[in-house]
Amino acid sequence: MEKFENVTYFNHPLIQHKISILRKKETGTNEFRHLVEEIAMLEGFEALNDLPLEEVEIETPIEKCKTPMISGRKLAIVPILRAGLGMVEGILALVPSAKIGHIGLYRDEETFEPHEYYCKLPSPIEERTIVVCDPMLATGGSAIDAITMIKKHGGRNIKFMCIIAAPEGVKALHEAHPDVQIYIGHLDRCLNEHAYICPGLGDAGDRIFGTK
Ligand SMILES: O=P(O)(O)OC[C@H]1O[C@H](OP(=O)(O)OP(=O)(O)O)[C@H](O)[C@@H]1O
Ligand SMILES: O=c1cc[nH]c(=O)[nH]1
Ligand SMILES: [Mg+2]
């Protein structure tokens, strides 16, 4: 797989271990949901390592002092529905004041093309750091369309966070949006004839919500 400057792969053992449990077909809905949330928090810890700080004056029980606090640009978390919803609480645990947008996309089962059914973003979107999340980056079509939509609304500072990616999706997303920082829990082997990630974990939305 070609190396791209804007792509971060997590090799932390805790993330890798949790992803392995996610993959198991016997992992049930409740455990699956908790794992997705925990992985999102661990990835978010790294993905948000460039949030700007400012020195703020506070008073400790001992004396007044200046101390760093997160400042300036505000955060928007934008899950791609449905499966991206599973990652929101994990990121919110790190930045509870973040605003949340939603982009509704589903992939046509035959053409694998994404179809939009919802878009609501917090304003002013152009002043926010935006974390788009979706556990799966397969062909890349959904992530590409979601980010195109956000840019049309004025979003500029965009990060994309996923749990499992296929090489095809990473390449396509990088080529379509080279300005977007991409965070990937694990890079899998390839896509199959149904555009599912191999070995993957199956349909993330169905596993999070217990559908199908
Ligand atoms: O990279 P792509 O080839 O576009 O595939 C990835 C998309 O497919 C899944 O969503 P799905 O269409 O299954 O919708 P759901 O989350 O509602 O189940 C997944 O959560 C991504 O959004
Ligand atoms: O493997 C895949 C591909 C797309 N969407 C999923 O949920 N899983
Ligand atoms: Mg699905």
Side-chain angles (χ1 to χ4, degrees):
M1 169 88 204
E2 222 176 312
K3 286 237 180 313
F4 301 117
E5 225 175 67
N6 62 333
V7 181
T8 301
Y9 298 101
F10 295 98
N11 48 23
H12 195 290
L14 286 175
I15 294 182
Q16 295 311 312
H17 179 82
K18 287 173 193 293
I19 292 176
S20 298
I21 305 173
L22 266 191
R23 293 184 190 280
K24 292 186 185 181
K25 63 178 183 193
E26 63 269 27
T27 298
T29 305
N30 187 24
E31 190 182 8
F32 193 94
R33 232 183 251 148
H34 280 107
L35 285 164
V36 166
E37 203 174 303
E38 286 171 3
I39 295 165
M41 181 164 66
L42 292 168
E43 290 191 9
F45 181 74
E46 174 63 24
L48 297 175
N49 73 1
D50 60 353
L51 284 182
L53 290 171
E54 67 181 343
E55 291 289 309
V56 172
E57 188 167 285
I58 59 146
E59 197 169 353
T60 77
I62 310 297
E63 62 180 21
K64 282 189 180 167
C65 68
K66 288 212 163 188
T67 192
M69 295 191 82
I70 290 169
S71 76
R73 282 189 311 216
K74 299 179 170 56
L75 194 72
I77 305 168
V78 181
I80 301 177
L81 307 180
R82 292 172 301 166
L85 283 175
M87 298 175 76
V88 172
E89 287 296 326
I91 308 169
L92 265 186
L94 301 171
V95 194
S97 61
K99 299 285 188 277
I100 302 171
H102 293 89
I103 291 185
L105 290 174
Y106 70 90
R107 220 170 62 143
D108 184 288
E109 284 179 7
E110 270 154 32
T111 65
F112 316 128
E113 289 293 318
H115 292 274
E116 179 194 339
Y117 60 87
Y118 193 73
C119 179
K120 181 84 179 170
L121 301 171
S123 62
I125 196 71
E126 58 279 8
E127 288 172 22
R128 297 179 188 276
T129 295
I130 301 157
V131 179
V132 180
C133 55
D134 192 326
M136 309 304 276
L137 179 64
T139 64
S142 305
I144 291 170
D145 279 14
I147 292 167
T148 301
M149 253 188 263
I150 293 170
K151 286 183 174 173
K152 276 190 192 147
H153 284 79
R156 286 190 298 263
N157 181 19
I158 304 171
K159 297 170 188 275
F160 176 80
M161 221 168 89
C162 67
I163 296 180
I164 293 181
E168 296 89 328
V170 182
K171 188 166 187 293
L173 178 56
H174 166 77
E175 285 174 2
H177 297 293
D179 56 306
V180 171
Q181 205 59 43
I182 304 170
Y183 299 88
I184 295 170
H186 194 94
L187 181 67
D188 274 16
R189 199 176 69 249
C190 61
L191 296 175
N192 68 13
E193 67 277 21
H194 305 292
Y196 270 82
I197 301 176
C198 304
L201 49 72
D203 188 301
D206 285 341
R207 296 199 63 184
I208 290 170
F209 295 105
T211 45
K212 209 162 234 173

